[in-house]
């Protein structure tokens, strides 16, 4: 969580390898491997997934074709695709579980989709690919309450199906989606840093008070750091007492 411009979406894009972002220092290790040395498709095959805040349309490519190709790559098919019968059976199971209209897979990827349909399509992708870590970049943005529930139900089902082994990073401004996806930890970002961490109650508190109190504390510590060097330091992160 965090206000606009705090670095939440930047973090998500860097983790997935968006080429518009250049990492000039630091490292990201995933299962002991250098994540920053991998291309985006390599990261996806390793089990990372991102649900975008603003999914783009891909005219001329049907959802069914797109999903079959992506699933084949995720499962390690080299020169061929997953058999049609196997794919169709799995796709049907996932759509029924997520309560998604079958007609959506006959349409071009996100072309003419409503905001809710785009987010449902992202959740369908996630259900099929079965990632080990899913990054949800403001997936609740622009959704009505019914669509938020559908997205949350899908995520919770996938988490349960993974026997609680799937990692989920939910990026959001509001606690609304967290009423349905219960977080184990809540972290607040300011200016590219994690400054406050807590349990689910922290999200509820922010909903009531906003970020002003944390911002004031952060500015005090930032001033002390600039004037006297590192204070209240934990590793590379400056922590605000909350």
């Amino acid at each position: 969580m965090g206000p606009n411009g705090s670095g939440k979406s930047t973090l998500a894009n860097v983790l997935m390898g968006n080429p518009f972002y250049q990492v000039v220092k630091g490292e990201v290790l995933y299962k002991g491997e250098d994540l920053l040395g991998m291309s985006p498709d390599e990261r996806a095959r390793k089990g990372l997934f991102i649900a975008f805040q603003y999914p783009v349309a891909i005219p001329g490519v049907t959802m069914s074709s797109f999903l079959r190709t992506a699933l084949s790559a995720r499962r390690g098919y080299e020169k061929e695709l997953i058999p049609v019968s196997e794919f169709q059976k799995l796709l049907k199971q996932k759509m029924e579980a997520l309560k998604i209209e079958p007609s959506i897979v006959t349409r071009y990827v996100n072309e003419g989709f409503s905001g809710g349909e785009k987010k449902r399509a992202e959740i369908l992708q996630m259900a099929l690919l079965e990632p080990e870590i899913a990054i949800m970049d403001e997936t609740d943005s622009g959704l009505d309450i019914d669509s938020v529930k559908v997205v949350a139900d899908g995520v919770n089902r996938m988490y349960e199906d993974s026997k609680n082994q799937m990692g989920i990073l939910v990026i959001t401004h509001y606690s609304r989606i967290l009423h349905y996806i219960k977080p184990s930890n809540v972290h607040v970002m300011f200016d590219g840093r994690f400054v406050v961490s807590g349990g689910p109650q922290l999200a509820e508190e922010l909903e009531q008070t906003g970020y002003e109190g944390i911002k004031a504390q952060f500015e005090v510590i930032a001033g002390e750091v600039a004037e006297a060097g590192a204070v209240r330091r934990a590793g590379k992160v400056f922590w605000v007492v909350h």
Side-chain angles (χ1 to χ4, degrees), residues 84-138:
V84 173
S85 58
E86 183 181 347
F87 170 71
Q88 293 288 359
K89 181 180 179 181
L90 182 60
L91 181 61
K92 182 179 180 182
Q93 290 174 349
K94 299 298 185 182
M95 287 193 296
E96 288 177 350
L98 296 172
K99 300 177 182 178
I100 292 176
E101 287 292 327
S103 61
I104 198 171
V105 298
T106 65
R107 298 161 62 184
Y108 295 147
V109 178
N110 292 328
E111 188 171 49
F113 283 24
S114 66
E117 286 176 327
K118 288 181 178 179
K119 300 305 172 71
R120 285 183 175 91
E122 294 261 277
I123 297 304
L124 177 58
Q125 291 173 44
M126 184 160 57
L128 275 170
L129 297 177
E130 298 180 342
E132 295 181 39
I133 296 180
I135 304 166
M136 303 180 65
D137 187 10
E138 297 192 36

Side-chain angles (χ1 to χ4, degrees), residues 143-164:
L143 296 184
D144 59 34
I145 192 64
D146 290 331
S147 295
V148 169
K149 288 180 179 178
V150 168
V151 168
D153 287 345
V155 172
N156 289 330
R157 182 184 294 273
M158 281 179 269
Y159 182 66
E160 292 168 3
D161 289 346
S162 75
K163 296 181 172 56
N164 302 350

